[in-house]
Amino acid sequence: MENLWPSLDRDSASNNFRQTLHLARRAIEPDAVTRFQILCIEEGWLRLCPDLALSVDIEEFEAAATHALKTRSLLDYQSALAQYHGELLPQDRYLEWTAERRESLANLRIELLIGLGCMLEDQS
């Protein structure tokens, strides 16, 4: 809470946290009544998906791309490219910490596109 609301006293920051958590839970799990599965507080800690498998789209893309590059299969290339959902965090384009990862993902996509293009050219 100190990082989110540094200028507020503990009670005000705690109130802001509870309100923000309530809004986030309603946005993420609109049908949940009392048992929230995605944002949970356990022993004073906010936990993300403690009982659910959590997947990260860029990690899934990278795994699929690595697999495709290894198998050199047309279908694997197409599948990997289908998992690329666009530029990483486009709204944060100028934040330094996003630049290297964004460029790495874009380069991996280009490598897949070139490989797919070569495969399709070989087929014709």
Side-chain angles (χ1 to χ4, degrees):
M1 289 186 295
E2 296 88 23
N3 290 330
L4 296 172
W5 301 284
S7 63
L8 296 181
D9 61 76
R10 185 168 175 74
D11 289 339
S12 298
S14 179
N15 186 48
N16 278 9
F17 176 77
R18 284 191 306 275
Q19 288 177 359
T20 302
L21 178 59
H22 174 77
L23 292 172
R25 283 175 164 168
R26 290 289 163 230
I28 295 169
E29 296 180 272
D31 298 328
V33 178
T34 56
R35 175 79 171 113
F36 298 98
Q37 294 183 347
I38 298 177
L39 293 175
C40 304
I41 295 183
E42 296 175 356
E43 299 178 13
W45 289 92
L46 178 62
R47 298 203 41 202
L48 178 63
C49 300
D51 299 324
L52 301 175
L54 180 65
S55 65
V56 179
D57 59 350
I58 61 173
E59 290 175 355
E60 290 177 356
F61 166 67
E62 288 173 320
T66 300
H67 178 73
L69 293 169
K70 183 178 178 181
T71 65
R72 308 277 312 146
S73 160
L74 180 70
L75 291 176
D76 289 343
Y77 270 68
Q78 291 170 328
S79 176
L81 285 164
Q83 292 185 47
Y84 184 83
H85 301 294
E87 183 179 286
L88 175 66
L89 301 171
Q91 68 278 10
D92 296 324
R93 183 169 288 120
Y94 302 106
L95 291 178
E96 226 175 274
W97 68 270
T98 64
E100 186 177 325
R101 189 65 183 256
R102 180 183 300 110
E103 185 176 336
S104 171
L105 293 167
N107 288 338
L108 184 53
R109 177 178 175 258
I110 290 168
E111 184 177 356
L112 289 169
L113 288 168
I114 291 170
L116 180 62
C118 290
M119 286 181 201
L120 293 172
E121 185 178 55
D122 289 345
Q123 285 183 349
S124 56

